[in-house]
């Protein structure tokens, strides 16, 4: 049994989007030879790799294509797919993948972009409280040439 041959080039961003540790797999469809994303967690499903969002989302709903929501997991570095039923559960600001149907054009070929991480505002770092003597010692060692530094003994600090 031979592997199906791809009719297109694999997008470079797809390797970063789905790493080897992910339960999702990028394969070639046996029927049409296009790259698809297979979800092999529970029921094996095939999805076109283009990110469906904005106007493409409207097109997918009109065409009746099944959709799955892409949820990015920053802790593990790969996406998780969550099914939506019909138009229920679809948010206009979400990113989706359209179900793959052989020999039909993709709804979208846009690459997926992970969401920006919101960081809570924090206090500015004031730095450690060092004495003038400790700062002078640091500057002296920092500006010392390496040939002399390797023979310098480390100061012992007790206290």
């Amino acid at each position: 049994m031979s592997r199906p041959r791809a009719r297109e080039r694999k997008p470079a961003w797809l390797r970063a989007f789905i790493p080897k540790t992910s339960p999702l797999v990028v394969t070639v469809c046996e029927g049409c030879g296009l790259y698809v994303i297979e979800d092999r967690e529970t029921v094996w499903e095939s999805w076109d790799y283009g990110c469906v969002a904005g106007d493409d989302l409207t097109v997918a709903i009109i065409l009746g294509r099944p959709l799955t929501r892409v949820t990015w997991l920053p802790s593990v570095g790969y996406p998780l797919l969550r099914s939506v039923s019909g138009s229920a559960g679809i948010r206009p600001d979400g990113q989706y993948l359209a179900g793959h149907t052989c020999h039909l054009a993709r709804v979208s070929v846009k690459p997926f972009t992970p969401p920006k991480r919101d960081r809570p505002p924090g206090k500015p770092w004031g730095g450690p409280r060092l004495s003038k003597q400790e700062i002078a010692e640091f500057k002296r060692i920092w500006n010392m040439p390496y040939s002399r530094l390797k023979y310098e003994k480390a100061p012992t600090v007790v206290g």
Side-chain angles (χ1 to χ4, degrees):
M1 182 171 137
S2 65
R3 294 176 57 181
R5 188 178 172 123
R7 288 187 7 206
E8 63 184 350
R9 293 188 73 168
K10 185 176 186 178
W13 64 268
L14 209 48
R15 287 181 182 87
F17 179 57
I18 301 177
K20 294 189 183 294
T21 58
S22 172
L24 304 175
V25 179
V26 178
T27 60
V28 177
C29 176
E30 293 180 6
C32 59
L34 298 178
Y35 280 102
V36 294
I37 297 172
E38 285 187 355
D39 186 1
R40 295 183 175 178
E41 250 184 335
T42 53
V43 177
W44 285 22
E45 298 173 310
S46 295
W47 306 95
D48 289 331
Y49 64 77
C51 181
V52 179
D55 292 339
D56 293 335
L57 191 56
T58 308
V59 171
I61 292 170
I62 291 171
L63 292 175
R65 294 278 183 96
L67 295 170
T68 185
R69 182 189 317 273
V70 178
T71 306
W72 186 257
L73 300 173
S75 59
V76 292
Y78 60 78
L80 186 66
L81 301 182
R82 293 290 170 227
S83 297
V84 296
S85 41
S87 60
I90 295 178
R91 293 184 309 182
D93 62 339
Q95 293 182 330
Y96 301 87
L97 296 178
H100 177 70
T101 308
C102 282
H103 304 292
L104 292 181
R106 291 187 175 100
V107 175
S108 174
V109 290
K110 285 188 253 180
F112 177 82
T113 52
K116 301 278 189 253
R117 284 182 47 189
D118 292 333
R119 296 186 180 213
K123 297 178 185 174
W125 185 64
R129 304 287 181 225
L130 298 174
S131 67
K132 288 184 180 182
Q133 181 185 4
E134 291 171 322
I135 292 173
E137 180 67 12
F138 174 80
K139 285 181 180 178
R140 183 186 73 79
I141 293 173
W142 184 264
N143 294 324
M144 188 181 295
Y146 180 70
S147 60
R148 221 175 93 207
L149 181 63
K150 59 184 176 179
Y151 298 111
E152 184 81 12
K153 288 196 172 190
T156 56
V157 178
V158 178

